[in-house]
Amino acid sequence: MRVTERPHPAPDAVGCAFAGAAALSYAATIVIGHSLSRAGVPSATALGIRFGVAALAIGAVLVVRRAPLLPAAGERVRLALLGGVGYSLESTLFFLALGHATAAGAALVFYVYPGMVAAVELGLGAPLPLRRMLLAVGLSAAGTLAVVASGSRVAISPAGVAFALGAAAVFAAYLISGSRFVRTTDAWTRAAWVAGGAAVSSTARGLLTGSFSLSTGHRLELLAYGAFTATAFGLMFTALQRLGPARTAVVMTLEAFFAVVLGAAFLGEGLAPTQVAGGVGILVAATVVAFARAPGSAAPVPRLAAPVDGVAAR
């Protein structure tokens, strides 16, 4: 009798790859959004078109994949609320925070959301490896601090702290709700409905305030804005299905580092050595998450393979 080792899939590592790719896509939206803001495009116009393009792009992906366009029964209203209320509220609060802080100051407060997610998940009894999660959250927080604070002036008022903390809390709730209350629907179908809900909400806000216009120009940038958003949404929901909200939140702090790198590459902004070190810290945190096993999870079980007619069984 010969012992052969069963190939062991690594869903955590794959999930971390999805979350990292989502972080890169979100970072691209930060760079494009910063460019549109500097060009004077109103936020309601930019966000309405961004999410509208994203919803259409994800819908096209669903048609090609022959995936369902409608969420599972019982989850449609939840997904519409996640986009129309959750994601739109988070975006609005962060935008308000930027009015009372530098971008670095607002980002430093906002990126406490992985700690919020981990604390809530542990409080709800999620099977997380406590020591590894604390290590990962600490590393990602330290890395984010190095990335954000090294390259920009950090300033924030009490109102800015309140808005940024509100944005962080809403995004934490968004991640947890998306994982706990939407379990059956395909990840990309989820993404389409969240994008659609956010598009309706942002466009309605723009129409009510008179700040929405389709003749704003910057068409290529707006299309790219929507395309990267579509990718980010789809990949993030795929990661949530594999990792859960706490681990996904930790890995997605890579967004801060990727935004700095893309800003250096396309906007001529600098990249300090401490920012590179911070990015390494976040990568280490992601690695800790990737190889962390939930309490009680079993190790790979060897398979006994007996020869059958001189050939090992498969």
Side-chain angles (χ1 to χ4, degrees):
M1 182 177 292
R2 182 165 58 86
V3 177
T4 61
E5 195 167 314
R6 184 196 298 262
H8 179 62
D12 285 357
V14 173
C16 284
F18 282 123
L24 178 59
S25 297
Y26 273 121
T29 67
I30 290 175
V31 174
I32 296 171
H34 182 61
S35 175
L36 290 170
S37 177
R38 289 196 305 186
V41 179
S43 64
T45 295
L47 293 177
I49 295 175
R50 170 194 180 187
F51 294 127
V53 170
L56 292 173
I58 299 171
V61 171
L62 293 175
V63 170
V64 171
R65 290 178 56 216
R66 297 183 179 179
L69 294 175
L70 292 177
E75 296 182 349
R76 296 168 189 174
V77 174
R78 298 174 189 176
L79 281 168
L81 290 175
L82 275 177
V85 178
Y87 201 83
S88 294
L89 179 58
E90 181 271 326
S91 299
T92 301
L93 287 171
F94 191 76
F95 181 79
L96 291 172
L98 290 174
H100 298 272
T102 61
L108 277 179
V109 177
F110 175 74
Y111 279 108
V112 303
Y113 80 81
M116 292 180 174
V117 173
V120 172
E121 283 287 279
L122 289 169
L124 293 174
L128 297 174
L130 179 59
R131 291 182 180 178
R132 290 198 175 214
M133 282 307 304
L134 290 176
L135 174 61
V137 169
L139 283 171
S140 69
T144 302
L145 176 64
V147 168
V148 176
S150 299
S152 304
R153 184 173 65 88
V154 178
I156 188 167
S157 70
V161 171
F163 285 130
L165 279 177
V170 172
F171 192 64
Y174 168 83
L175 289 175
I176 294 169
S177 300
S179 175
R180 287 183 171 262
F181 300 124
V182 184
R183 296 181 177 273
T184 307
T185 303
D186 176 84
W188 286 84
T189 306
R190 298 187 195 191
W193 274 63
V194 169
V200 170
S201 179
S202 298
T203 302
R205 176 168 63 89
L207 292 174
L208 288 173
T209 59
S211 59
F212 183 84
S213 174
L214 290 174
S215 58
T216 183
H218 307 281
R219 290 180 177 83
L220 289 179
E221 284 180 284
L222 287 167
L223 286 173
Y225 204 20
F228 279 114
T229 299
T231 304
F233 276 18
L235 291 172
M236 186 192 71
F237 280 114
T238 303
L240 276 173
Q241 287 183 326
R242 289 176 169 268
L243 299 176
R247 294 179 179 183
T248 300
V250 169
V251 179
M252 283 187 57
T253 54
L254 280 168
E255 174 187 343
F257 177 64
F258 287 148
V260 170
V261 172
L262 292 176
F266 295 103
L267 300 179
E269 299 174 354
L271 184 62
T274 49
Q275 291 176 309
V276 176
V280 172
I282 300 172
L283 283 172
V284 173
T287 303
V288 170
V289 166
F291 292 99
R293 288 186 178 277
S297 62
V301 180
R303 181 177 61 178
L304 298 179
V308 179
D309 293 334
V311 181
R314 293 171 61 92

